[in-house]
Amino acid sequence: MELMQMASIGQFAVGATYRDYIDERRRSWVSSSARPLITTIWYPTDEVAKVKKQCIAVFQTGHYAINATISQQQPRYPLILVSHGTGGSSASIAWLCVRLASAGFIVAAINHHGNTAAEPKYLLEGMILWWERAKDIRCLLDHLLADEIFAKAIDSERIGVAGFSIGGFTALACAGARLEMNRWKSHCELNQSDSICKLPPEMSFNIAEVWHAIENNPHILAAWPEANECYRDSRIKAAFAIAPVAKGVVSDESLQSIDIPVHLVAGSADDQAAPENNAKLYAAQIPNSTLEILPNVTHYTFLSEGVWWAKLFDKQFLRDPKGVNRRKVHDTTASVAVSFFYKSL
């Protein structure tokens, strides 16, 4: 315990491995097989010599050793579950995961089925059925606590959740935030600029297709009755939300009943999840919450750094405003997350 309290970013070398978990209780939206829960797990390791700089697709994902053994410096480590943003993947949020692991956490990030660039294509179901993400996190936690390797290395009394964008909402849903999806269309009639109404640029669908799917898509129709349920997981003791969205369709009462520590981070120049309409409102209604606004930071500054060749042609997701250093923003945000989870878990 004392070593954990003193740990900081960079204290441990980092290992990583992968798990092809599934959820037998739910079906894939593209086949009759079980719902996939493809997961990357980062963790402290003592195999420093195996650590290498890693890149996945267009992202620099950090320095870590693939399939290294878990460090024996501590008998157990706290666990952080991580949810990516719309159309993202574990690679797109790896900057946070690797830094947390280097500070003494086991960190597991899932690729949410239908809403991830790690799959061949995006699915409208994955973009609309946000509450399925909280179910993913719950099932992932079940798997990790039964995993042959990780179960004995996880301190099951110290579990947190973190997420970015719609993943930020996912983290809050695991803390008790509850949707009121019947308000979505009426909310959008009055707030057309809200990202959940105009849809983010990474989506290949338009809002008209969304309204049509809600009334006609059989998968969406089957899932819709569970939209407004509470997905609070009592095993999770703290939540960290980066640039969360969807406040316009979240129950105020549910936020006021959240009873675990919550920390929110947002960028002042965020044009996808404007803090005035999201993070600030969440913070105002969640009792035990704190909020940090980072000046001039945009929504996509919270994505992993891009590889050099991708930054040459991508101006929206991999480049930042003048004066904003993405790596420094990541360092600052991760340091806040480490301090928050040390205090809360």
Side-chain angles (χ1 to χ4, degrees), residues 276-332:
E276 292 74 20
N277 300 326
N278 290 282
K280 289 184 178 180
L281 298 182
Y282 277 124
Q285 294 187 336
I286 298 173
N288 191 15
S289 66
T290 48
L291 170 65
E292 187 158 354
I293 303 294
L294 304 180
N296 302 319
V297 169
T298 69
H299 197 67
Y300 298 112
T301 301
F302 293 113
L303 295 179
S304 293
E305 294 181 77
V307 296
W308 69 268
W309 54 265
K311 288 191 283 188
L312 293 176
F313 63 83
D314 187 299
K315 296 182 179 180
Q316 183 164 27
F317 302 111
L318 301 178
R319 294 193 194 178
D320 302 294
K322 186 176 181 180
V324 174
N325 183 307
R326 185 171 296 202
R327 184 171 299 178
K328 288 183 178 178
V329 171
H330 291 174
D331 286 340
T332 297

CSV table of all heavy atoms in Angstrom, one decimal, residues 276-332:
chain,number,residue,atom,x,y,z
A,276,GLU,N,-19.4,24.2,-21.6
A,276,GLU,CA,-20.6,24.9,-21.1
A,276,GLU,C,-21.9,24.1,-21.1
A,276,GLU,O,-22.8,24.2,-20.3
A,276,GLU,CB,-20.8,26.2,-21.8
A,276,GLU,CG,-19.8,27.3,-21.6
A,276,GLU,CD,-18.4,27.0,-22.3
A,276,GLU,OE1,-18.4,26.1,-23.2
A,276,GLU,OE2,-17.4,27.5,-21.9
A,277,ASN,N,-21.9,23.1,-22.1
A,277,ASN,CA,-23.1,22.3,-22.3
A,277,ASN,C,-22.9,20.9,-21.8
A,277,ASN,O,-23.9,20.1,-21.8
A,277,ASN,CB,-23.5,22.2,-23.8
A,277,ASN,CG,-23.8,23.6,-24.4
A,277,ASN,OD1,-24.3,24.5,-23.7
A,277,ASN,ND2,-23.4,23.8,-25.6
A,278,ASN,N,-21.7,20.6,-21.3
A,278,ASN,CA,-21.4,19.2,-20.9
A,278,ASN,C,-20.7,19.1,-19.6
A,278,ASN,O,-21.3,19.0,-18.6
A,278,ASN,CB,-20.7,18.5,-22.0
A,278,ASN,CG,-21.5,18.2,-23.3
A,278,ASN,OD1,-22.3,17.3,-23.2
A,278,ASN,ND2,-21.4,19.0,-24.3
A,279,ALA,N,-19.3,19.2,-19.6
A,279,ALA,CA,-18.5,19.0,-18.4
A,279,ALA,C,-18.9,19.9,-17.3
A,279,ALA,O,-19.0,19.5,-16.1
A,279,ALA,CB,-17.0,19.2,-18.8
A,280,LYS,N,-19.2,21.2,-17.6
A,280,LYS,CA,-19.5,22.2,-16.5
A,280,LYS,C,-20.9,21.8,-15.9
A,280,LYS,O,-21.1,21.9,-14.7
A,280,LYS,CB,-19.5,23.6,-17.0
A,280,LYS,CG,-18.1,24.1,-17.3
A,280,LYS,CD,-18.2,25.6,-17.7
A,280,LYS,CE,-16.8,26.2,-17.9
A,280,LYS,NZ,-16.8,27.6,-18.3
A,281,LEU,N,-21.8,21.4,-16.7
A,281,LEU,CA,-23.2,21.0,-16.2
A,281,LEU,C,-23.1,19.7,-15.4
A,281,LEU,O,-23.7,19.5,-14.4
A,281,LEU,CB,-24.1,20.8,-17.4
A,281,LEU,CG,-24.4,22.1,-18.2
A,281,LEU,CD1,-25.4,21.9,-19.3
A,281,LEU,CD2,-24.9,23.2,-17.2
A,282,TYR,N,-22.3,18.7,-15.9
A,282,TYR,CA,-22.1,17.5,-15.2
A,282,TYR,C,-21.5,17.8,-13.8
A,282,TYR,O,-22.0,17.3,-12.7
A,282,TYR,CB,-21.1,16.6,-15.9
A,282,TYR,CG,-21.7,15.7,-17.0
A,282,TYR,CD1,-21.2,15.8,-18.3
A,282,TYR,CD2,-22.8,14.8,-16.7
A,282,TYR,CE1,-21.8,14.9,-19.3
A,282,TYR,CE2,-23.3,14.0,-17.7
A,282,TYR,CZ,-22.8,14.1,-19.0
A,282,TYR,OH,-23.3,13.3,-20.0
A,283,ALA,N,-20.5,18.6,-13.7
A,283,ALA,CA,-19.8,19.0,-12.5
A,283,ALA,C,-20.7,19.7,-11.5
A,283,ALA,O,-20.6,19.5,-10.3
A,283,ALA,CB,-18.6,19.8,-12.8
A,284,ALA,N,-21.6,20.5,-12.1
A,284,ALA,CA,-22.5,21.3,-11.2
A,284,ALA,C,-23.6,20.4,-10.5
A,284,ALA,O,-24.1,20.7,-9.5
A,284,ALA,CB,-23.3,22.3,-12.0
A,285,GLN,N,-23.8,19.2,-11.1
A,285,GLN,CA,-24.9,18.3,-10.6
A,285,GLN,C,-24.4,17.1,-9.9
A,285,GLN,O,-25.1,16.4,-9.1
A,285,GLN,CB,-25.8,18.0,-11.7
A,285,GLN,CG,-26.6,19.2,-12.2
A,285,GLN,CD,-27.7,18.8,-13.2
A,285,GLN,OE1,-27.6,17.8,-13.8
A,285,GLN,NE2,-28.7,19.7,-13.3
A,286,ILE,N,-23.1,16.7,-10.1
A,286,ILE,CA,-22.6,15.5,-9.4
A,286,ILE,C,-22.0,16.0,-8.1
A,286,ILE,O,-21.1,16.8,-8.0
A,286,ILE,CB,-21.5,14.8,-10.3
A,286,ILE,CG1,-22.1,14.3,-11.6
A,286,ILE,CG2,-20.9,13.6,-9.5
A,286,ILE,CD1,-21.1,13.8,-12.6
A,287,PRO,N,-22.5,15.5,-7.0
A,287,PRO,CA,-22.1,16.0,-5.6
A,287,PRO,C,-20.6,16.0,-5.3
A,287,PRO,O,-20.0,17.0,-5.0
A,287,PRO,CB,-22.9,15.1,-4.7
A,287,PRO,CG,-24.1,14.6,-5.5
A,287,PRO,CD,-23.6,14.4,-6.9
A,288,ASN,N,-20.0,14.9,-5.5
A,288,ASN,CA,-18.6,14.7,-5.1
A,288,ASN,C,-17.7,14.8,-6.3
A,288,ASN,O,-16.9,13.9,-6.6
A,288,ASN,CB,-18.4,13.4,-4.3
A,288,ASN,CG,-17.0,13.3,-3.7
A,288,ASN,OD1,-16.3,14.3,-3.5
A,288,ASN,ND2,-16.6,12.1,-3.3
A,289,SER,N,-17.8,15.9,-7.1
A,289,SER,CA,-17.0,16.0,-8.3
A,289,SER,C,-16.1,17.2,-8.3
A,289,SER,O,-16.4,18.2,-7.6
A,289,SER,CB,-18.0,16.1,-9.5
A,289,SER,OG,-18.8,17.3,-9.5
A,290,THR,N,-15.1,17.2,-9.2
A,290,THR,CA,-14.2,18.3,-9.4
A,290,THR,C,-14.0,18.4,-10.9
A,290,THR,O,-14.2,17.5,-11.7
A,290,THR,CB,-12.9,18.1,-8.7
A,290,THR,OG1,-12.4,16.8,-9.0
A,290,THR,CG2,-13.0,18.2,-7.2
A,291,LEU,N,-13.7,19.7,-11.3
A,291,LEU,CA,-13.6,19.9,-12.8
A,291,LEU,C,-12.4,20.7,-13.1
A,291,LEU,O,-12.0,21.7,-12.3
A,291,LEU,CB,-14.9,20.7,-13.2
A,291,LEU,CG,-14.8,21.3,-14.6
A,291,LEU,CD1,-14.8,20.3,-15.7
A,291,LEU,CD2,-16.0,22.3,-14.8
A,292,GLU,N,-11.7,20.4,-14.2
A,292,GLU,CA,-10.5,21.1,-14.6
A,292,GLU,C,-10.7,21.5,-16.1
A,292,GLU,O,-11.0,20.6,-16.9
A,292,GLU,CB,-9.3,20.3,-14.4
A,292,GLU,CG,-8.0,21.0,-14.7
A,292,GLU,CD,-6.8,20.4,-14.0
A,292,GLU,OE1,-7.0,19.5,-13.2
A,292,GLU,OE2,-5.7,20.9,-14.2
A,293,ILE,N,-10.6,22.8,-16.4
A,293,ILE,CA,-10.7,23.2,-17.8
A,293,ILE,C,-9.3,23.6,-18.3
A,293,ILE,O,-8.7,24.5,-17.7
A,293,ILE,CB,-11.7,24.4,-18.0
A,293,ILE,CG1,-13.1,24.1,-17.4
A,293,ILE,CG2,-11.8,24.9,-19.4
A,293,ILE,CD1,-13.8,23.0,-18.2
A,294,LEU,N,-8.9,23.0,-19.4
A,294,LEU,CA,-7.6,23.3,-19.9
A,294,LEU,C,-7.7,24.3,-21.1
A,294,LEU,O,-8.4,24.1,-22.0
A,294,LEU,CB,-6.9,22.0,-20.5
A,294,LEU,CG,-6.8,20.8,-19.5
A,294,LEU,CD1,-6.2,19.6,-20.1
A,294,LEU,CD2,-6.0,21.2,-18.2
A,295,PRO,N,-6.9,25.4,-21.0
A,295,PRO,CA,-7.1,26.5,-21.9
A,295,PRO,C,-6.6,26.1,-23.3
A,295,PRO,O,-5.6,25.5,-23.5
A,295,PRO,CB,-6.2,27.6,-21.3
A,295,PRO,CG,-5.2,26.9,-20.4
A,295,PRO,CD,-6.0,25.7,-19.9
A,296,ASN,N,-7.5,26.5,-24.3
A,296,ASN,CA,-7.2,26.4,-25.8
A,296,ASN,C,-7.2,25.0,-26.3
A,296,ASN,O,-6.9,24.7,-27.4
A,296,ASN,CB,-5.8,27.1,-26.1
A,296,ASN,CG,-5.8,28.5,-25.7
A,296,ASN,OD1,-6.8,29.3,-25.9
A,296,ASN,ND2,-4.7,29.0,-25.2
A,297,VAL,N,-7.4,24.0,-25.4
A,297,VAL,CA,-7.4,22.6,-25.8
A,297,VAL,C,-8.7,22.2,-26.5
A,297,VAL,O,-9.8,22.6,-26.1
A,297,VAL,CB,-7.2,21.7,-24.6
A,297,VAL,CG1,-7.4,20.2,-24.9
A,297,VAL,CG2,-5.8,21.9,-24.0
A,298,THR,N,-8.6,21.5,-27.6
A,298,THR,CA,-9.8,21.1,-28.4
A,298,THR,C,-10.1,19.7,-28.0
A,298,THR,O,-9.4,19.0,-27.3
A,298,THR,CB,-9.5,21.2,-29.9
A,298,THR,OG1,-8.5,20.1,-30.3
A,298,THR,CG2,-8.9,22.5,-30.3
A,299,HIS,N,-11.2,19.2,-28.6
A,299,HIS,CA,-11.7,17.8,-28.3
A,299,HIS,C,-10.6,16.8,-28.7
A,299,HIS,O,-10.3,15.9,-27.9
A,299,HIS,CB,-13.0,17.6,-29.1
A,299,HIS,CG,-13.8,16.4,-28.6
A,299,HIS,ND1,-14.4,16.4,-27.4
A,299,HIS,CD2,-14.1,15.2,-29.2
A,299,HIS,CE1,-15.0,15.3,-27.2
A,299,HIS,NE2,-14.9,14.5,-28.3
A,300,TYR,N,-10.1,16.9,-29.9
A,300,TYR,CA,-9.2,15.8,-30.4
A,300,TYR,C,-7.8,15.9,-29.9
A,300,TYR,O,-7.0,15.0,-30.2
A,300,TYR,CB,-9.3,15.8,-31.9
A,300,TYR,CG,-10.7,15.5,-32.4
A,300,TYR,CD1,-11.5,16.4,-33.1
A,300,TYR,CD2,-11.3,14.3,-32.1
A,300,TYR,CE1,-12.8,16.2,-33.4
A,300,TYR,CE2,-12.6,14.0,-32.5
A,300,TYR,CZ,-13.3,14.9,-33.2
A,300,TYR,OH,-14.6,14.6,-33.5
A,301,THR,N,-7.5,16.9,-29.1
A,301,THR,CA,-6.2,17.0,-28.4
A,301,THR,C,-6.1,15.8,-27.5
A,301,THR,O,-5.0,15.3,-27.2
A,301,THR,CB,-6.0,18.3,-27.7
A,301,THR,OG1,-6.1,19.4,-28.6
A,301,THR,CG2,-4.7,18.3,-27.0
A,302,PHE,N,-7.2,15.2,-27.1
A,302,PHE,CA,-7.3,14.1,-26.1
A,302,PHE,C,-7.1,12.7,-26.9
A,302,PHE,O,-7.3,11.7,-26.2
A,302,PHE,CB,-8.5,14.1,-25.3
A,302,PHE,CG,-8.6,15.3,-24.3
A,302,PHE,CD1,-9.5,16.3,-24.5
A,302,PHE,CD2,-7.7,15.4,-23.3
A,302,PHE,CE1,-9.6,17.4,-23.7
A,302,PHE,CE2,-7.7,16.5,-22.4
A,302,PHE,CZ,-8.7,17.5,-22.6
A,303,LEU,N,-6.9,12.8,-28.2
A,303,LEU,CA,-6.5,11.5,-28.9
A,303,LEU,C,-5.0,11.3,-28.8
A,303,LEU,O,-4.2,12.3,-28.6
A,303,LEU,CB,-6.9,11.6,-30.3
A,303,LEU,CG,-8.4,11.7,-30.7
A,303,LEU,CD1,-8.6,11.8,-32.2
A,303,LEU,CD2,-9.1,10.5,-30.1
A,304,SER,N,-4.6,10.1,-28.9
A,304,SER,CA,-3.1,9.8,-28.9
A,304,SER,C,-2.4,10.6,-30.0
A,304,SER,O,-3.0,11.0,-31.0
A,304,SER,CB,-2.9,8.3,-29.2
A,304,SER,OG,-3.4,7.5,-28.1
A,305,GLU,N,-1.1,10.9,-29.8
A,305,GLU,CA,-0.3,11.6,-30.8
A,305,GLU,C,-0.3,10.8,-32.1
A,305,GLU,O,-0.2,9.5,-32.1
A,305,GLU,CB,1.1,11.8,-30.3
A,305,GLU,CG,1.2,12.7,-29.1
A,305,GLU,CD,2.6,12.9,-28.7
A,305,GLU,OE1,3.4,13.7,-29.4
A,305,GLU,OE2,3.0,12.3,-27.7
A,306,GLY,N,-0.2,11.5,-33.2
A,306,GLY,CA,-0.2,10.8,-34.5
A,306,GLY,C,1.2,10.5,-34.9
A,306,GLY,O,2.2,11.1,-34.5
A,307,VAL,N,1.4,9.4,-35.7
A,307,VAL,CA,2.7,9.2,-36.4
A,307,VAL,C,3.0,10.3,-37.4
A,307,VAL,O,2.1,10.9,-37.9
A,307,VAL,CB,2.7,7.8,-37.0
A,307,VAL,CG1,2.5,6.7,-36.0
A,307,VAL,CG2,1.6,7.7,-38.1
A,308,TRP,N,4.2,10.5,-37.7
A,308,TRP,CA,4.6,11.7,-38.5
A,308,TRP,C,3.9,11.7,-39.8
A,308,TRP,O,3.4,12.8,-40.3
A,308,TRP,CB,6.1,11.7,-38.7
A,308,TRP,CG,6.7,10.6,-39.6
A,308,TRP,CD1,7.1,9.4,-39.2
A,308,TRP,CD2,6.8,10.7,-41.0
A,308,TRP,NE1,7.5,8.7,-40.3
A,308,TRP,CE2,7.4,9.5,-41.4
A,308,TRP,CE3,6.5,11.7,-41.9
A,308,TRP,CZ2,7.6,9.2,-42.8
A,308,TRP,CZ3,6.8,11.4,-43.3
A,308,TRP,CH2,7.3,10.2,-43.7
A,309,TRP,N,3.8,10.6,-40.5
A,309,TRP,CA,3.2,10.6,-41.9
A,309,TRP,C,1.7,10.9,-41.8
A,309,TRP,O,1.2,11.5,-42.8
A,309,TRP,CB,3.5,9.3,-42.6
A,309,TRP,CG,3.1,8.0,-41.9
A,309,TRP,CD1,3.8,7.2,-41.1
A,309,TRP,CD2,1.7,7.5,-41.9
A,309,TRP,NE1,3.1,6.2,-40.6
A,309,TRP,CE2,1.8,6.3,-41.1
A,309,TRP,CE3,0.6,7.8,-42.6
A,309,TRP,CZ2,0.7,5.5,-40.9
A,309,TRP,CZ3,-0.6,7.0,-42.3
A,309,TRP,CH2,-0.5,5.9,-41.5
A,310,ALA,N,1.0,10.5,-40.8
A,310,ALA,CA,-0.4,10.7,-40.7
A,310,ALA,C,-0.7,12.2,-40.4
A,310,ALA,O,-1.7,12.8,-40.9
A,310,ALA,CB,-1.0,9.9,-39.6
A,311,LYS,N,0.2,12.8,-39.6
A,311,LYS,CA,0.0,14.3,-39.3
A,311,LYS,C,0.2,15.2,-40.6
A,311,LYS,O,-0.3,16.3,-40.6
A,311,LYS,CB,1.0,14.7,-38.2
A,311,LYS,CG,0.6,14.1,-36.9
A,311,LYS,CD,1.4,14.8,-35.8
A,311,LYS,CE,2.8,14.3,-35.7
A,311,LYS,NZ,3.5,14.8,-34.5
A,312,LEU,N,0.8,14.6,-41.6
A,312,LEU,CA,1.1,15.4,-42.8
A,312,LEU,C,-0.3,15.7,-43.6
A,312,LEU,O,-0.4,16.8,-44.2
A,312,LEU,CB,2.0,14.7,-43.8
A,312,LEU,CG,3.4,14.5,-43.3
A,312,LEU,CD1,4.2,13.7,-44.3
A,312,LEU,CD2,4.1,15.8,-43.1
A,313,PHE,N,-1.2,14.8,-43.5
A,313,PHE,CA,-2.5,15.0,-44.2
A,313,PHE,C,-3.7,15.1,-43.3
A,313,PHE,O,-4.8,15.6,-43.8
A,313,PHE,CB,-2.7,13.8,-45.2
A,313,PHE,CG,-2.9,12.5,-44.6
A,313,PHE,CD1,-4.1,12.1,-44.1
A,313,PHE,CD2,-1.8,11.6,-44.5
A,313,PHE,CE1,-4.2,10.8,-43.5
A,313,PHE,CE2,-1.9,10.3,-44.0
A,313,PHE,CZ,-3.1,9.9,-43.5
A,314,ASP,N,-3.6,14.8,-42.1
A,314,ASP,CA,-4.8,14.9,-41.2
A,314,ASP,C,-4.7,16.2,-40.3
A,314,ASP,O,-3.8,16.3,-39.5
A,314,ASP,CB,-4.8,13.7,-40.2
A,314,ASP,CG,-6.1,13.6,-39.4
A,314,ASP,OD1,-6.3,14.6,-38.6
A,314,ASP,OD2,-6.9,12.7,-39.5
A,315,LYS,N,-5.6,17.1,-40.6
A,315,LYS,CA,-5.5,18.4,-39.9
A,315,LYS,C,-6.6,18.4,-38.7
A,315,LYS,O,-6.5,19.4,-37.9
A,315,LYS,CB,-5.8,19.5,-40.9
A,315,LYS,CG,-4.7,19.7,-41.9
A,315,LYS,CD,-5.0,20.8,-42.8
A,315,LYS,CE,-3.9,21.0,-43.9
A,315,LYS,NZ,-4.1,22.1,-44.8
A,316,GLN,N,-7.5,17.5,-38.7
A,316,GLN,CA,-8.6,17.6,-37.7
A,316,GLN,C,-8.3,16.8,-36.5
A,316,GLN,O,-8.5,17.3,-35.4
A,316,GLN,CB,-9.9,17.2,-38.3
A,316,GLN,CG,-11.1,17.3,-37.4
A,316,GLN,CD,-12.4,17.2,-38.1
A,316,GLN,OE1,-12.5,16.6,-39.1
A,316,GLN,NE2,-13.4,17.9,-37.6
A,317,PHE,N,-7.9,15.6,-36.6
A,317,PHE,CA,-7.7,14.7,-35.5
A,317,PHE,C,-6.3,14.7,-34.9
A,317,PHE,O,-6.2,14.3,-33.7
A,317,PHE,CB,-8.1,13.3,-35.9
A,317,PHE,CG,-9.6,13.2,-36.4
A,317,PHE,CD1,-9.8,12.9,-37.7
A,317,PHE,CD2,-10.6,13.4,-35.5
A,317,PHE,CE1,-11.1,12.8,-38.2
A,317,PHE,CE2,-11.9,13.3,-36.0
A,317,PHE,CZ,-12.2,13.1,-37.3
A,318,LEU,N,-5.3,15.0,-35.6
A,318,LEU,CA,-3.9,14.8,-35.2
A,318,LEU,C,-3.2,16.1,-35.0
A,318,LEU,O,-2.0,16.1,-34.6
A,318,LEU,CB,-3.2,13.9,-36.2
A,318,LEU,CG,-3.8,12.5,-36.3
A,318,LEU,CD1,-3.0,11.7,-37.3
A,318,LEU,CD2,-3.9,11.7,-35.0
A,319,ARG,N,-3.8,17.2,-35.4
A,319,ARG,CA,-3.1,18.5,-35.2
A,319,ARG,C,-3.9,19.4,-34.2
A,319,ARG,O,-5.1,19.2,-34.0
A,319,ARG,CB,-3.0,19.3,-36.6
A,319,ARG,CG,-2.1,18.6,-37.6
A,319,ARG,CD,-1.8,19.5,-38.7
A,319,ARG,NE,-1.3,18.8,-39.9
A,319,ARG,CZ,-1.0,19.4,-41.0
A,319,ARG,NH1,-1.2,20.7,-41.2
A,319,ARG,NH2,-0.5,18.7,-42.0
A,320,ASP,N,-3.1,20.3,-33.5
A,320,ASP,CA,-3.7,21.1,-32.5
A,320,ASP,C,-3.5,22.6,-32.8
A,320,ASP,O,-2.7,23.0,-33.6
A,320,ASP,CB,-3.1,20.7,-31.1
A,320,ASP,CG,-3.2,19.3,-30.8
A,320,ASP,OD1,-4.4,18.8,-30.6
A,320,ASP,OD2,-2.2,18.5,-30.8
A,321,PRO,N,-4.3,23.4,-32.1
A,321,PRO,CA,-4.1,24.9,-32.3
A,321,PRO,C,-2.7,25.3,-31.9
A,321,PRO,O,-2.0,24.7,-31.1
A,321,PRO,CB,-5.2,25.5,-31.3
A,321,PRO,CG,-6.1,24.4,-31.1
A,321,PRO,CD,-5.4,23.1,-31.1
A,322,LYS,N,-2.3,26.4,-32.5
A,322,LYS,CA,-1.0,27.0,-32.2
A,322,LYS,C,-0.9,27.3,-30.7
A,322,LYS,O,-1.8,27.8,-30.1
A,322,LYS,CB,-0.9,28.3,-33.0
A,322,LYS,CG,0.5,28.9,-32.8
A,322,LYS,CD,0.7,30.2,-33.7
A,322,LYS,CE,2.1,30.8,-33.6
A,322,LYS,NZ,2.2,32.0,-34.4
A,323,GLY,N,0.2,26.8,-30.2
A,323,GLY,CA,0.5,27.0,-28.7
A,323,GLY,C,0.0,25.9,-27.9
A,323,GLY,O,0.3,25.8,-26.7
A,324,VAL,N,-0.7,24.9,-28.5
A,324,VAL,CA,-1.1,23.7,-27.7
A,324,VAL,C,-0.2,22.5,-28.0
A,324,VAL,O,0.0,22.1,-29.2
A,324,VAL,CB,-2.6,23.3,-28.0
A,324,VAL,CG1,-2.9,22.0,-27.4
A,324,VAL,CG2,-3.5,24.4,-27.6
A,325,ASN,N,0.5,22.0,-27.0
A,325,ASN,CA,1.4,20.9,-27.2
A,325,ASN,C,0.6,19.6,-26.7
A,325,ASN,O,0.4,19.5,-25.5
A,325,ASN,CB,2.7,21.1,-26.3
A,325,ASN,CG,3.7,20.0,-26.5
A,325,ASN,OD1,3.4,18.8,-26.3
A,325,ASN,ND2,4.9,20.4,-26.8
A,326,ARG,N,0.3,18.7,-27.6
A,326,ARG,CA,-0.5,17.6,-27.2
A,326,ARG,C,0.1,16.7,-26.2
A,326,ARG,O,-0.6,16.2,-25.3
A,326,ARG,CB,-0.8,16.7,-28.5
A,326,ARG,CG,-1.8,15.6,-28.2
A,326,ARG,CD,-2.3,14.9,-29.5
A,326,ARG,NE,-3.1,15.8,-30.4
A,326,ARG,CZ,-4.0,15.4,-31.3
A,326,ARG,NH1,-4.1,14.1,-31.5
A,326,ARG,NH2,-4.6,16.2,-32.0
A,327,ARG,N,1.4,16.5,-26.3
A,327,ARG,CA,2.1,15.6,-25.3
A,327,ARG,C,2.0,16.2,-23.9
A,327,ARG,O,1.8,15.5,-22.9
A,327,ARG,CB,3.5,15.4,-25.7
A,327,ARG,CG,4.3,14.4,-24.8
A,327,ARG,CD,5.6,14.1,-25.4
A,327,ARG,NE,5.5,13.4,-26.6
A,327,ARG,CZ,6.6,13.0,-27.4
A,327,ARG,NH1,7.8,13.2,-27.0
A,327,ARG,NH2,6.4,12.4,-28.6
A,328,LYS,N,2.2,17.5,-23.8
A,328,LYS,CA,2.1,18.2,-22.5
A,328,LYS,C,0.7,18.1,-22.0
A,328,LYS,O,0.5,18.0,-20.7
A,328,LYS,CB,2.6,19.6,-22.6
A,328,LYS,CG,4.1,19.8,-22.8
A,328,LYS,CD,4.5,21.3,-22.9
A,328,LYS,CE,6.0,21.4,-23.0
A,328,LYS,NZ,6.4,22.8,-23.1
A,329,VAL,N,-0.3,18.3,-22.8
A,329,VAL,CA,-1.7,18.1,-22.4
A,329,VAL,C,-1.9,16.7,-21.8
A,329,VAL,O,-2.6,16.5,-20.8
A,329,VAL,CB,-2.7,18.4,-23.5
A,329,VAL,CG1,-4.1,18.1,-23.1
A,329,VAL,CG2,-2.6,19.9,-23.9
A,330,HIS,N,-1.4,15.7,-22.5
A,330,HIS,CA,-1.5,14.3,-22.1
A,330,HIS,C,-0.8,14.1,-20.7
A,330,HIS,O,-1.4,13.5,-19.8
A,330,HIS,CB,-1.0,13.4,-23.1
A,330,HIS,CG,-1.8,13.3,-24.4
A,330,HIS,ND1,-1.3,12.6,-25.5
A,330,HIS,CD2,-3.0,13.9,-24.7
A,330,HIS,CE1,-2.2,12.7,-26.5
A,330,HIS,NE2,-3.2,13.5,-26.0
A,331,ASP,N,0.4,14.7,-20.6
A,331,ASP,CA,1.1,14.6,-19.4
A,331,ASP,C,0.3,15.2,-18.2
A,331,ASP,O,0.2,14.6,-17.1
A,331,ASP,CB,2.5,15.3,-19.5
A,331,ASP,CG,3.5,14.5,-20.3
A,331,ASP,OD1,3.3,13.3,-20.5
A,331,ASP,OD2,4.4,15.2,-20.8
A,332,THR,N,-0.2,16.4,-18.4
A,332,THR,CA,-1.0,17.1,-17.4
A,332,THR,C,-2.2,16.3,-17.0
A,332,THR,O,-2.5,16.1,-15.8
A,332,THR,CB,-1.4,18.5,-17.9
A,332,THR,OG1,-0.2,19.3,-18.1
A,332,THR,CG2,-2.3,19.2,-16.9
